[in-house]
Amino acid sequence: MKIYFYNTLTKKKEEFKPMNKEKVCMYSCGPTVYYYPHIGNLRAYLFMDSLRRVLKYNGYKLKHVMNITDVGHLVSDADDGEDKMMKAAKRENKNPFEIADFYMNVFLQDLSKINVDMPEIIARATEHIDCMEEYVKQIIANGYTYETTNAIYFDTTKLDKYGVLSNKDVKEEDLEARIDTDPEKRNPNDFAVWFKAPENHIMKWDSFWGMCYPGWHLECSAMGHKYLGEEFDIHTGGVDHITVHHENEIAQAKGYCGKIPAHYWMHVEFLQVDGRKMSKSLNNLYTLDQLSEMGYEPAVYRMFNLGAHYKKQINFTFDAMDAAKTALSRLREGYLKHKEGTSKINQDVIKEYEEKFNEAINDDLNMPVAMSVVWDVIKNPNKSKSLADLIEKFDTVMGFDLKNYIPEKKELPSDIQELVAQRNEARASKNWAESDRLRDELIAKGYTVKDSKEGTIVEKN
Ligand code: AMP
Ligand code: ZN
């Protein structure tokens, strides 16, 4: 079946044609590990997870790299301000390497809690300084850079076109780049690839240009190239990466080998709060653990995300989280009911469900439509093991791990427990009239009553 993705590079929804028929190679921009990830950040990785799962569902093997930025990302994406790691180290009175270790582990644990299907390769920037140095040396040798007192800059005017994703003109100033602090920078869109480390800078390495550290954009270009080569299939990130980070990655790759590295560029929209992006700077964030403390397990946040297309902003509200929580319970209960069901289902019905589901996920990951097919299956009044199997298959894309779901045993209210005990006694003494009366009373209170060798089994309807 054909897959279609919206490609930011061509600004069109296009048929996905990987370079290799069996294996998809892709790169996702990972986090800068200087603070707790918030659930807005996690939306980006839930999108990445859906993409992986859909490709695997279609039979592809994956070679997927995600970086961990633990050096070089300055407070502004356009090379301005302090290094985020250094700033965090001062805030917490720690060494920046300790900061990186701590928040990287929190991030990876969050991905695990939310059941993200992990990329095959996790590439940490500080473990790839050598490959970045080789990469930048080649860009320099190819004549795409110039030196200032503090940094080596990429000269964007050397390119045929800068701004291929956002259609920026080379002469047009980037708003973020306008707040430059380096007076030696020649053009507004130029960006630093290699920084001279100030005396007090802890994260620095001996290099061809003295004690230095790499620019954030260089990290992704060099690590992507190391693992995936000059060209690969898909590159993902948040929409905030389009105008600066990904333009600069493309610029560097053109400077290195003349090629745009990925064929398909996919970007996930923001999680909003009250109409504004959830972000550390606006201080309007929640973490996964905070949500858990409030009674929303991580899978609820996954359900919340599946309710919107990745290219649409979602507004975070607790009403929506409550709805996602109810939906998750309905999904689990509905799946278990099918699992115990004995009805026979016509193969054509199953095929139709599958076709609709496949069409939705392959239409640029249209998860809300795919979920509507799941609900149709759940609501099918004929409870059947084959429909439970179908839901399990769909769950390889949804990611709720339904197969291993064990329902919590719910305590019956004390008045119901009392009626059950009385009924067991009545049955033991063969008082059938009383037993029937108690059964009717339980049914009237909204319970299903089943008799078994062990006694009366009741369940809330
Ligand atoms: P950072 O650690 O700031 O580099 O961000 C990590 C990832 O989270 C990037 O892909 C961002 O695009 C993404 N991101 C940040 N804030 C949000 C948000 N509110 N909604 C969705 N994605 C976000
Ligand atoms: Zn990146």
Side-chain angles (χ1 to χ4, degrees), residues 27-33 41 44-45 48 65-69 73 107 123 216 219-220 223 235-237 241 245-246 249:
Y27 188 96
S28 293
C29 285
T32 306
V33 284
N41 298 130
Y45 304 103
M48 176 189 93
V65 183
M66 178 178 71
N67 67 293
I68 301 282
T69 296
H73 192 170
F107 170 73
W216 170 43
E219 296 174 9
C220 289
M223 294 191 287
H235 197 310
T236 79
H241 289 152
H245 182 51
H246 287 171
E249 271 190 50

Side-chain angles (χ1 to χ4, degrees), residues 338 353 356 370-381 387:
H338 277 306
Y353 284 137
K356 282 189 186 158
M371 287 307 291
S372 72
V373 182
V374 173
W375 294 123
D376 287 348
V377 181
I378 290 285
K379 281 189 276 185
N380 189 317
L387 291 181

